C-alpha cells in the first residue's frame, strides 16, 4: 500500500510539473518511428536476416520502451542529481568510447560499435553526446572567476578526446555534430563575433587540409567529390538510390509498403529512413516532419526565454541543437545536400544506441523544462 | 508556517541578487538563441524547396537515372525502324584488394552471389593487391545484391555498350566507337555530337532486308570469282537516298577489333578506282548535253588502233565494225568511238560536264571515310583516255551519283544515308538539259537487251534493267596489268522512268571454271567464265541481286 502510494506520488509529481507539450511532441516522434518501422522498414531488415516479419518492429518497440524508462528517469531527477549523474556518466561513456579502438566491432568498414560481453552491442558516442553538453555547460557556468576565454579553451579540450576518438573510427558525421554543438554553446554564451569569424575560418582551413591531404580521410574526399559531381560514375550508389526513391515517391508517395528503396540500399532503416518514408508517403510527409522538428525547437527555445539559469539555458540549447543538427544532417544526406555520412534520424531511425541516446537527450530536456517549484 | 514562507522569499531574492553579479562571466543573449532558431528555419526552408523539387522531378523524367544521362548515345535505326545499333549500359564490378577489410567475409558473401566462380583464383587475386574485375556486364539482380554488401572494396563502373544486332551488315557505314563513347569511324564519328546530344534514334535511309540480300550475293560471288573484295551501292536516283551500301570484306562491329588491313576499307566510299568503260556514258551524255552529237550521229572509218604519245588505244573486241552510230558506240563499248566523241567535245566541255556530275572532286558525304579522286593534268592524250574511262579515277559512290543525275532527268542529287524528315524534292535543281536522260536511258536499256550489248546477263524480266559495264585493268608500276581488273556494272531500273541506280564493283575477280551462266537474251546456258570482264562477272552478280531485291523494291517502295 505504501509502495503503491509512493509510486503514485512519484508519478504525480513527475506529471504535474512536466511540460506536457514537449512530452507529447517527443512521444509523437517516437510513435512515428514505431509506425514507420511497423509499416515499411521492419520488413526489409527481417527479409535480409531471414527472421519473423515483425521481429524488428518488436525490437524497435522494446528499444522505445527502454528509451521511455530512461526518459522518465532522467526527467524525474532533481537538477543537482542530474548534473551529478551526467558528470559521472560522461566519463563512463567516454571510457567506453576510448575502448572502441581496442575492443570495437567493425560494421561496414567503420569501427563504431562496442560489443562487451555483459552489454548488448552499442555505439558509445550516442551516450557521450548528451552528457558532453552538460559537461560543457558546467564548465562554462563555473563560478570560479576564470577568464571567459580560458573557459572556452577548457571546453574545447573537453570535446577534443571525444572528437579524436571519433575521427579514428572514422566517424566524421558525429565529430562534426559534437563540434557544431560546442560551437553553438560558445556562440550563445556571448563570445564576440570577430573571434568567431577568425576561429571558423581557421577550422575551415584545417578541415580542408585534413580532408584533402591526410589519406585516412580519403573516403570523405571521394564522397565530397562525388557529391559535387553527381553524374560521375555510380560509386555514389546509396545516394543515387535515395534520390531516385524520393523522386519516384513524388509529392504524396506511392503508398504504404509500396517503396522499393528499402530493399535496395543497405541500412535503409537507419541512415536512409527519410528516403524510405518519402518514397511511401511523399515529400509532403518529410516537409511536415521538418515543421514538427521546428515546432519542437521553438517550444524549447520559448522555455529558454523564460529561464533564468544560464546553465539550463546552455544545456537546453545544446541538447536541442544536437537533435536538430542530427536531423538536418540526416535529411540533408538523404536529399543529397550533404555528402554521405552514416547518421541516424533522431526518434525515427531504428537502432538501440540511437534511441537510447535520444531518450537521454529528451529526458534532460524534459527535466530542465519542468515547472520550477519555488 | 509564516516564517517559512518569508524564508523562501528571502532566499529567492538572494538568488536573484547573486545572478546579477554574474560570477560566470557569461553573457547569454536571447537574440543569439533566436538566431540559431532562424538558422534552422532557413535550413528547413532550403530542404523543403529541395524536397519539393525532387518530388516534382518524377513528372519530367520517370525511371531515368541521373548517371545514364551523361553517357548517353542514341541508337541508329534503318528506314523501317529496325535497330542497327542499340546502346545498352552495362556495369562492371571490380575489386580493389587494398581496401578489403575482411577477406573471408567478402569471399563468403561473393560465393552467395556468384556460386560458380573460381574462388581459388579470386583469393589469389585478392592477395596480389591489384585491382581486378570480378564480373563484367553484371546482371541487374546481382548488381543490387553486390552493392547491398556495402563493401568499400567493391567498385562499380558503368560502361556503355553498343550492340550491333546486324553484326557485319553495316560495319563500314556505322563505324566504331572507342571506350570513351567517342566515335572513331563511320557515322559514329561524323554524327558523334548528334548521337550524344539527342535522345531519339538516328534514322538512316538504308534498308536492312535489301542490305542483307545484296551482301549475301556479294559473299556468294566472292567465293565464285575469288575477288579481293567487292562493293555494291543501291541508290534512289530521285532523291539520293541510299538504300544499301555494302563493302566486302567487312567485320563484326560487336567484336570491337582494331581493323588495320587495307582490304577492309569501305570500297564504296573510300576506294578510288579507275573504272573504265562506265565513263563512256558520261562522254556520250556530255555530247548530247552540248548538242554536238545525236544518238544516231554516225562516226565513220573508226580505226582499230590509235596511238597517243607512248600509249596505244585499241578496241577490246576486234570484230567491232568501223562505222558506228553514237548509240552503237555505247552499246558495243567502243573505245575509239568514244575517243572521237571526246575529241569533238574538247577538254573544257568534257571537264566541266564531269565536274558538274561530281566525278572529279571529293564528294561531300555523311561519313568521313571518303576517297579523293586522283588529280591529273588535262591534255590531248588525257582527253582521249578519259573519254573511255581510263587515266581518271573516282569512287563508286560518285559513280552512283553521276549516273543518278544522268538518268533521273538531269537533276542534282546529294547521296545520303541519313533519312531526312521533309521530302523536298520539289525544288530540285536541273543541271543537265531536258531530254538527255531519256536518250541515255534508252541506250542503257539496249546494252542489256540487245545481242551486241555487254550486259545481257542482267536482263531480269519485269524490271526493265539498263546499265553499262566497265572493265578496267589495274594500273601498276609502269603500266597496266591484264590480270588484275576492276569489273563494274552500273545498272539502272526501270529504264522507262528510272528509280534506282545500282553499282556492283568486283575488285580483281578471277574466272570461274564451273560456274553456270544462264543466258537471258537467248536460250541455253554456259559453263565457266570465259573472261574476267564485267560482262561476265559484275553483270551476273547484279542480275542475281536484282532478281532477289526486285520484288521487295517493287512492292515496298511502290509509292516513293
Amino acid at each position: 500500500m505504501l509502495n503503491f502510494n509512493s509510486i503514485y506520488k512519484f508519478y504525480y509529481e513527475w506529471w504535474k510539473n512536466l511540460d506536457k507539450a514537449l512530452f507529447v511532441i517527443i512521444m509523437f516522434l517516437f510513435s512515428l518511428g514505431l509506425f514507420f518501422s511497423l509499416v515499411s522498414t521492419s520488413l526489409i531488415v527481417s527479409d535480409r536476416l531471414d527472421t519473423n516479419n515483425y521481429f524488428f518492429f518488436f525490437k524497435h518497440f522494446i528499444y522505445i520502451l527502454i528509451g521511455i524508462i530512461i526518459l522518465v528517469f532522467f526527467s524525474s531527477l532533481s537538477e543537482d542529481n542530474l548534473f551529478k549523474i551526467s558528470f559521472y556518466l560522461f566519463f563512463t561513456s567516454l571510457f567506453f568510447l576510448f575502448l572502441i579502438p581496442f575492443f570495437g566491432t567493425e560494421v561496414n568498414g567503420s569501427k563504431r560499435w562496442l560489443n562487451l560481453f555483459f552489454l548488448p552491442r552499442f555505439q558509445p558516442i550516442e551516450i557521450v553526446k548528451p552528457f558532453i553538453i552538460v559537461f560543457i555547460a558546467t564548465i562554462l557556468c563555473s563560478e570560479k572567476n576564470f577568464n571567459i576565454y580560458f573557459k572556452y579553451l577548457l571546453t574545447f579540450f573537453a570535446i577534443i578526446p571525444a572528437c579524436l576518438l571519433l575521427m579514428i573510427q572514422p566517424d566524421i558525421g558525429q565529430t562534426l555534430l559534437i563540434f557544431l554543438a560546442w560551437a553553438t554553446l560558445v556562440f550563445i554564451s556571448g563570445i564576440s563575433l570577430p573571434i568567431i569569424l577568425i576561429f571558423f575560418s581557421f577550422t575551415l582551413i584545417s578541415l580542408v587540409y585534413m580532408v584533402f591531404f591526410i589519406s585516412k580521410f580519403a573516403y570523405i574526399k571521394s564522397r565530397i567529390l562525388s557529391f559535387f559531381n553527381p553524374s560521375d560514375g555510380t560509386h555514389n550508389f546509396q545516394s543515387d538510390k535515395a534520390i531516385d526513391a524520393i523522386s519516384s515517391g513524388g509529392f504524396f508517395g506511392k503508398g504504404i509498403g509500396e517503396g522499393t528503396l528499402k530493399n535496395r540500399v543497405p541500412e535503409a532503416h537507419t541512415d536512409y529512413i527519410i528516403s524510405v518514408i518519402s518514397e511511401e508517403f511523399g515529400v509532403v510527409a518529410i516537409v511536415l516532419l521538418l515543421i514538427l522538428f521546428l515546432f519542437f525547437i521553438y517550444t524549447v527555445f520559448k522555455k529558454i526565454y523564460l529561464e533564468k539559469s544560464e546553465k539550463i539555458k546552455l544545456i537546453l540549447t545544446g541538447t536541442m541543437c544536437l537533435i536538430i543538427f542530427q536531423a538536418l544532417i540526416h535529411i540533408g544526406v538523404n536529399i543529397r545536400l550533404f555528402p554521405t555520412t552514416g547518421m541516424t534520424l533522431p526518434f525515427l531511425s531504428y537502432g538501440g544506441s540511437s534511441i537510447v541516446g535520444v531518450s537521454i537527450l529528451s529526458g534532460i530536456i524534459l527535466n530542465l523544462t519542468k515547472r520550477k517549484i519555488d | 508556517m509564516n516564517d517559512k514562507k518569508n524564508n523562501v522569499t528571502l532566499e529567492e531574492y538572494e538568488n536573484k541578487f547573486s545572478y546579477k553579479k554574474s560570477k560566470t562571466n557569461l553573457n547569454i543573449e536571447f537574440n543569439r538563441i533566436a538566431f540559431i532558431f532562424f538558422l534552422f528555419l532557413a535550413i528547413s526552408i532550403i530542404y523543403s524547396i529541395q524536397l519539393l523539387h525532387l518530388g516534382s522531378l518524377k513528372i519530367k523524367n520517370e525511371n531515368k537515372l541521373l548517371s545514364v544521362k551523361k553517357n548517353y548515345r542514341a541508337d541508329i535505326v534503318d528506314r523501317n525502324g529496325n535497330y542497327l545499333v542499340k546502346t545498352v549500359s552495362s556495369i562492371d564490378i571490380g575489386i580493389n584488394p587494398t581496401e578489403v577489410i575482411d577477406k573471408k567475409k567478402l569471399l563468403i558473401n561473393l560465393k552467395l552471389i556468384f556460386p560458380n566462380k573460381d574462388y581459388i583464383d579470386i583469393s589469389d587475386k585478392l592477395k596480389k593487391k591489384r585491382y581486378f574485375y570480378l564480373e563484367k556486364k553484371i546482371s541487374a539482380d546481382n548488381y543490387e545484391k553486390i552493392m547491398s554488401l556495402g563493401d568499400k572494396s567493391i567498385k562499380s563502373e558503368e560502361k556503355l555498350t553498343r550492340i550491333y544486332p546486324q553484326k557485319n551488315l553495316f560495319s563500314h557505314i556505322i563505324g566504331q566507337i572507342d571506350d570513351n563513347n567517342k566515335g572513331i569511324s563511320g557515322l559514329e564519328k561524323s554524327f558523334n555530337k548528334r548521337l550524344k546530344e539527342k535522345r531519339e534514334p538516328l534514322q538512316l535511309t538504308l534498308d536492312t532486308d535489301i542490305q542483307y540480300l545484296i551482301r549475301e550475293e556479294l559473299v556468294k560471288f566472292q567465293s565464285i570469282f575469288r575477288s579481293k573484295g567487292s562493293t555494291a551501292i543501291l541508290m534512289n536516283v530521285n532523291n539520293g537516298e541510299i538504300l544499301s551500301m555494302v563493302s566486302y570484306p567487312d567485320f563484326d562491329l560487336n567484336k570491337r577489333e582494331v581493323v588495320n588491313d587495307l582490304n577492309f576499307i569501305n570500297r564504296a566510299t573510300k576506294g578510288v578506282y579507275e573504272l573504265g568503260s562506265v565513263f563512256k556514258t558520261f562522254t556520250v551524255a556530255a555530247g548530247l548535253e552540248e548538242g554536238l552529237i545525236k544518238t544516231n550521229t554516225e562516226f565513220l572509218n573508226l580505226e582499230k588502233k590509235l596511238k597517243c604519245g607512248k600509249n596505244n588505244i585499241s578496241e577490246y573486241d576486234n570484230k567491232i565494225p568501223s562505222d558506228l552510230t553514237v548509240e552503237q558506240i555505247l552499246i558495243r563499248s567502243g573505245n575509239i568511238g568514244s575517243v572521237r566523241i571526246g575529241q569533238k567535245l574538247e577538254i573544257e566541255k568534257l571537264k566541266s560536264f564531269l565536274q558538274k556530275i561530281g566525278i572529279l572532286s571529293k564528294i561531300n558525304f555523311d561519313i568521313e571515310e571518303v576517297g579523293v579522286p586522283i588529280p591529273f593534268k588535262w591534255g590531248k592524250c588525257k582527253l582521249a583516255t578519259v573519254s573511255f574511262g581510263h587515266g581518271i579515277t573516282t569512287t563508286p559512290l560518285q559513280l552512283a551519283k553521276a549516273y543518278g543525275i544522268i538518268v533521273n532527268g538531269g537533276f542534282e542529287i546529294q547521296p545520303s544515308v541519313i533519312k531526312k524528315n521533309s521530302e523536298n524534292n520539289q525544288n530540285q535543281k536541273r543541271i543537265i538539259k531536258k531530254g538527255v536522260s531519256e536518250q541515255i536511258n534508252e541506250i542503257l536499256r539496249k546494252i542489256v537487251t540487245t545481242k551486241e550489248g555487254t550486259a545481257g546477263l542482267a536482263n531480269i524480266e519485269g524490271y526493265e534493267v539498263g546499265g553499262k559495264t566497265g572493265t578496267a585493268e589495274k594500273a601498276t608500276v609502269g603500266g597496266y596489268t591484264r590480270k588484275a581488273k576492276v569489273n563494274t556494272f552500273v545498272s539502272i531500273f526501270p529504264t522507262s522512268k528510272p528509280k534506282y541506280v545500282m553499282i556492283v564493283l568486283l575488285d580483281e575477280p578471277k574466272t570461274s571454271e564451273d560456274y553456270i551462266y544462264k543466258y537471258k537474251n537467248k536460250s541455253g546456258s554456259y559453263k565457266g567464265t570465259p573472261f574476267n570482264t564485267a560482262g561476265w562477272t559484275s553483270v551476273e552478280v547484279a542480275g542475281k541481286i536484282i532478281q532477289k531485291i526486285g520484288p521487295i523494291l517493287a512492292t515496298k517502295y511502290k509509292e516513293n
Side-chain angles (χ1 to χ4, degrees):
Chain A
M1 205 59 214
L2 187 86
N3 197 18
F4 175 77
N5 219 357
S6 65
I7 289 172
Y8 175 76
K9 210 183 157 207
F10 166 78
Y11 168 77
Y12 178 74
E13 285 291 315
W14 176 74
W15 180 249
K16 194 181 68 179
N17 298 321
L18 202 65
D19 187 315
K20 271 85 172 179
L22 276 178
F23 184 72
V24 168
I25 292 173
I26 289 166
M27 285 303 131
F28 182 64
L29 281 168
F30 270 134
S31 29
L32 264 184
L34 262 181
F35 170 69
F36 291 129
S37 171
L38 177 64
V39 300
S40 39
T41 51
S42 170
L43 299 174
I44 5 162
V45 203
S46 316
D47 264 9
R48 192 164 294 141
L49 298 182
D50 217 12
T51 54
N52 165 1
N53 273 356
Y54 291 100
F55 177 71
F56 272 84
F57 170 69
F58 289 127
K59 234 176 144 183
H60 194 160
F61 188 68
I62 288 165
Y63 282 141
I64 287 193
L65 283 185
I66 296 170
I68 289 173
I69 292 168
I70 291 170
L71 182 144
V72 172
F73 171 74
F74 275 96
S75 58
S76 61
L77 290 171
S78 72
E79 268 175 36
D80 285 340
N81 281 339
L82 177 71
F83 296 150
K84 231 177 266 168
I85 284 180
S86 300
F87 188 74
Y88 294 124
L89 283 177
F90 171 63
F91 284 107
T92 322
S93 53
L94 199 62
F95 173 70
F96 282 129
L97 192 65
F98 177 70
L99 288 182
I100 285 184
F102 309 103
F103 306 105
T105 310
E106 195 171 299
V107 178
N108 299 337
S110 282
K111 239 183 183 180
R112 297 177 185 174
W113 285 262
L114 200 57
N115 205 354
L116 292 177
F117 56 96
F118 56 92
L119 282 169
R121 191 170 85 177
F122 73 110
Q123 235 179 320
I125 181 59
E126 297 287 354
I127 321 292
V128 173
K129 275 191 295 187
F131 301 123
I132 207 164
I133 297 292
V134 181
F135 190 70
I136 293 169
T138 312
I139 295 177
L140 285 178
C141 298
S142 144
E143 299 198 354
K144 285 170 191 149
N145 209 356
F146 287 137
N147 183 315
I148 182 73
Y149 291 107
F150 181 66
K151 282 189 196 168
Y152 290 146
L153 199 66
L154 279 183
T155 55
F156 185 65
F157 285 130
I159 64 160
I160 279 290
C163 285
L164 283 178
L165 287 168
L166 285 172
M167 279 200 268
I168 55 172
Q169 287 183 0
D171 188 345
I172 297 304
Q174 299 280 12
T175 316
L176 188 74
L177 196 62
I178 289 190
F179 183 77
L180 279 176
W182 171 77
T184 313
L185 288 186
V186 170
F187 172 70
I188 61 161
S189 65
I191 194 164
S192 71
L193 289 171
I195 289 175
I196 291 181
L197 282 178
I198 291 165
F199 185 75
F200 262 84
S201 41
F202 174 74
T203 24
L204 205 68
I205 290 164
S206 50
L207 269 180
V208 168
Y209 171 79
M210 234 165 58
V211 165
F212 283 91
F213 298 101
I214 297 178
S215 59
K216 190 168 173 68
F217 300 115
Y219 83 99
I220 308 173
K221 183 178 156 188
S222 76
R223 276 181 195 178
I224 292 174
L225 290 180
S226 83
F227 166 72
F228 282 115
N229 195 359
S231 57
D232 188 14
T234 52
H235 49 274
N236 211 329
F237 179 76
Q238 299 182 330
S239 173
D240 276 350
K241 291 281 152 138
I243 287 287
D244 281 351
I246 294 174
S247 296
S248 70
F251 287 117
F252 301 106
K254 290 176 172 172
I256 291 175
E258 296 294 313
T260 55
L261 173 78
K262 53 191 183 187
N263 301 320
R264 301 186 301 183
V265 174
E267 314 302 321
H269 57 307
T270 57
D271 297 351
Y272 282 93
I273 189 149
I274 279 292
S275 306
V276 175
I277 297 172
S278 185
E279 189 178 13
E280 299 192 357
F281 298 90
V283 291
V284 173
I286 309 300
V287 174
L288 288 176
L289 197 66
L290 269 171
I291 293 171
L292 186 63
F293 270 109
L294 279 179
F295 183 64
F296 185 20
I297 187 176
Y298 172 75
T299 319
V300 174
F301 280 12
K302 213 169 67 180
K303 263 294 206 279
I304 295 173
Y305 184 65
L306 302 170
E307 183 55 58
K308 293 182 196 85
S309 155
E310 286 176 329
K311 189 169 174 180
I312 290 174
K313 278 185 188 178
L314 286 177
I315 294 172
L316 281 178
T317 317
T319 44
M320 211 50 233
C321 283
L322 268 184
I323 293 174
I324 300 295
F325 272 131
Q326 190 169 343
L328 288 180
I329 291 176
H330 175 95
I331 301 173
V333 167
N334 275 259
I335 62 176
R336 213 178 199 160
L337 287 174
F338 279 125
T340 316
T341 62
M343 187 82 75
T344 55
L345 182 64
F347 300 108
L348 280 87
S349 279
Y350 172 83
S353 321
S354 168
I355 291 172
V356 167
V358 88
S359 302
I360 297 172
L361 281 170
S362 351
I364 293 172
I365 290 169
L366 285 176
N367 188 324
L368 299 179
T369 52
K370 268 195 298 197
R371 189 155 33 154
K372 298 293 177 311
I373 316 148
D374 294 332
Chain B
M1 199 63 195
N2 239 352
D3 265 332
K4 221 177 180 180
K5 236 184 183 173
N6 278 339
N7 244 346
V8 170
T9 22
L10 215 125
E11 261 175 33
E12 200 180 275
Y13 274 116
E14 258 179 21
N15 275 343
K16 275 192 176 163
F17 187 60
S18 66
Y19 275 127
K20 287 242 167 78
K21 271 162 90 183
S22 184
K23 288 184 195 163
T24 60
N25 285 335
L26 293 181
N27 178 26
I28 300 176
E29 292 169 47
F30 187 74
N31 53 14
R32 287 201 177 183
I33 297 174
F35 172 78
I36 302 270
F37 174 77
F38 285 110
L39 192 72
F40 288 142
L41 184 70
I43 296 174
S44 301
I45 289 169
I46 295 169
Y47 278 19
S48 304
I49 293 168
Q50 167 82 350
L51 274 164
L52 293 176
H53 164 70
L54 286 175
S56 62
L57 221 62
K58 187 196 175 190
I59 307 133
K60 279 184 220 148
N61 45 355
E62 218 168 346
N63 69 33
K64 265 158 204 164
L65 280 168
L66 286 163
S67 47
V68 177
K69 278 183 201 153
K70 190 187 161 198
N71 266 343
Y72 192 75
R73 196 169 184 91
D75 303 333
I76 300 178
V77 296
D78 79 346
R79 63 185 303 129
N80 303 312
N82 300 319
Y83 280 105
L84 307 185
V85 190
K86 202 159 168 38
T87 293
V88 181
S89 90
S90 66
I91 293 166
D92 295 348
I93 296 291
I95 291 182
N96 185 1
T98 53
E99 283 179 70
V100 173
I101 294 149
D102 190 338
K103 208 178 108 183
K104 262 190 198 157
K105 201 176 126 195
L106 179 69
L107 282 174
I108 290 168
N109 280 327
L110 290 179
K111 245 179 215 170
L112 286 173
I113 300 168
F114 305 105
N116 298 327
K117 282 206 183 293
D118 176 8
Y119 283 93
I120 298 162
D121 182 45
I122 290 174
S123 178
D124 281 350
K125 280 179 184 166
L126 282 173
K127 267 183 210 145
K128 276 181 198 145
K129 303 270 168 203
R130 270 180 57 202
Y131 186 82
F132 65 94
Y133 286 103
L134 179 73
E135 175 90 345
K136 287 195 169 182
K137 296 188 183 172
I138 192 169
S139 71
D141 244 26
N142 283 341
Y143 175 65
E144 299 282 355
K145 279 189 204 158
I146 201 162
M147 291 317 281
S148 296
L149 295 179
D151 199 307
K152 271 194 285 184
S153 62
I154 297 172
K155 312 281 178 195
S156 69
E157 286 172 24
E158 190 174 346
K159 254 194 180 168
L160 198 91
T161 313
R162 294 284 263 179
I163 288 181
Y164 308 89
Q166 309 294 347
K167 290 175 187 153
N168 292 27
L169 209 46
F170 297 95
S171 45
H172 291 103
I173 301 166
I174 289 166
Q176 293 180 301
I177 63 167
D178 64 8
D179 285 337
N180 300 320
N181 188 15
K182 192 175 159 233
I184 51 172
S185 63
L187 291 173
E188 295 274 28
K189 187 181 183 189
S190 51
F191 282 79
N192 191 36
K193 229 180 136 199
R194 151 69 177 82
L195 289 168
K196 275 182 161 177
E197 282 169 0
K198 272 195 176 166
R199 294 196 76 84
E200 21 342 327
L202 180 67
Q203 191 172 30
L204 306 186
T205 58
L206 301 166
D207 185 304
T208 308
D209 301 337
I210 290 170
Q211 178 92 349
Y212 177 81
L213 291 171
I214 293 180
R215 180 174 178 272
E216 201 181 45
E217 290 304 311
L218 289 188
V219 174
K220 195 176 105 194
F221 281 101
Q222 175 88 6
S223 61
I224 291 169
F225 296 129
R226 307 188 308 280
S227 51
K228 252 176 80 184
S230 50
T231 179
I233 300 170
L234 176 69
M235 186 177 82
N236 184 329
V237 294
N238 295 315
N239 54 20
E241 282 187 1
I242 292 171
L243 281 124
S244 168
M245 183 185 264
V246 185
S247 175
Y248 192 81
D250 47 25
F251 44 93
D252 188 351
L253 288 169
N254 291 305
K255 289 185 182 153
R256 295 176 172 269
E257 295 159 314
V258 180
V259 181
N260 285 327
D261 190 346
L262 257 179
N263 203 27
F264 282 87
I265 63 159
N266 186 355
R267 287 190 155 74
T269 59
K270 185 81 184 169
V272 177
Y273 298 99
E274 201 176 312
L275 294 163
S277 308
V278 289
F279 270 65
K280 287 171 189 161
T281 313
F282 304 150
T283 313
V284 172
L288 294 171
E289 160 85 359
E290 296 296 333
L292 295 171
I293 50 166
K294 285 189 178 123
T295 49
N296 55 6
T297 308
E298 280 197 312
F299 285 83
L300 303 172
N301 297 322
L302 295 167
E303 303 91 329
K304 290 272 175 291
K305 247 184 198 164
L306 211 74
K307 210 172 159 76
C308 187
K310 46 183 179 167
N311 295 328
N312 285 320
I313 300 169
S314 59
E315 298 285 2
Y316 296 120
D317 180 5
N318 280 325
K319 281 175 249 161
I320 197 163
S322 39
D323 298 343
L324 290 169
T325 60
V326 168
E327 188 182 273
Q328 282 167 328
I329 289 172
L330 200 53
I331 293 173
R332 305 191 76 130
S333 201
N335 286 348
I336 310 295
S338 303
V339 173
R340 289 280 177 264
I341 302 172
Q343 282 164 344
K344 214 167 179 177
L345 273 162
E346 291 169 357
I347 293 173
E348 272 318 304
K349 282 172 187 160
L350 184 60
K351 189 179 163 188
S352 77
F353 185 80
L354 292 176
Q355 189 74 53
K356 213 156 53 175
I357 58 176
I359 290 291
L360 297 177
S361 48
K362 190 182 158 192
I363 192 171
N364 205 1
F365 193 53
D366 301 320
I367 58 177
E368 288 175 27
E369 292 84 14
V370 174
V372 187
I374 300 163
F376 56 85
K377 246 178 118 179
W378 286 83
K380 240 174 120 186
C381 281
K382 206 65 178 176
L383 173 69
T385 58
V386 165
S387 302
F388 66 99
H390 284 79
I392 181 168
T393 57
T394 196
T395 61
L397 178 68
Q398 280 164 283
L399 186 70
K401 177 187 173 181
Y403 264 85
I405 294 170
I406 288 174
V407 303
N408 73 0
F411 298 101
E412 168 82 340
I413 48 169
Q414 182 56 46
S416 174
V417 292
I418 306 298
K419 186 96 182 129
K420 310 278 189 302
N421 289 327
S422 56
E423 301 218 353
N424 44 353
N425 307 337
Q426 265 59 42
N427 46 2
Q428 271 185 327
K429 201 176 125 206
R430 175 180 286 282
I431 53 174
I432 296 177
K433 276 186 201 146
K434 211 177 159 191
V436 175
S437 287
E438 285 77 1
Q439 296 173 57
I440 293 286
N441 294 343
E442 206 177 305
I443 305 173
L444 292 180
R445 175 69 183 147
K446 280 181 183 162
I447 293 174
V448 176
T449 52
T450 59
K451 222 178 79 185
E452 295 81 25
T454 49
L457 288 167
N459 191 12
I460 308 300
E461 217 187 312
Y463 299 111
E464 288 182 54
V465 183
K468 179 79 196 80
T469 55
T471 305
E473 284 152 11
K474 269 200 171 174
T476 51
V477 190
Y480 289 90
T481 155
R482 289 229 92 156
K483 270 188 182 165
K485 287 175 181 168
V486 175
N487 288 0
T488 318
F489 180 54
V490 184
S491 52
I492 56 155
F493 51 95
T495 43
S496 53
K497 196 182 184 307
K499 257 169 89 177
Y500 303 104
V501 58
M502 185 173 76
I503 310 280
V504 173
L505 181 147
L506 304 184
D507 197 346
E508 297 182 23
K510 312 206 173 39
T511 53
S512 163
E513 273 170 28
D514 35 38
Y515 181 75
I516 296 165
Y517 292 91
K518 265 197 169 163
Y519 289 126
K520 303 286 180 324
N521 296 336
K522 56 187 178 190
S523 60
S525 56
Y526 189 89
K527 194 181 171 205
T529 319
F531 315 103
N532 57 345
T533 55
W536 290 100
T537 58
S538 311
V539 175
E540 175 69 11
V541 179
K544 285 278 187 275
I545 290 173
I546 293 169
Q547 231 167 6
K548 288 209 164 164
I549 64 169
I552 299 179
L553 292 174
T555 50
K556 212 179 198 173
Y557 301 111
K558 216 174 164 187
E559 298 314 312
N560 45 359

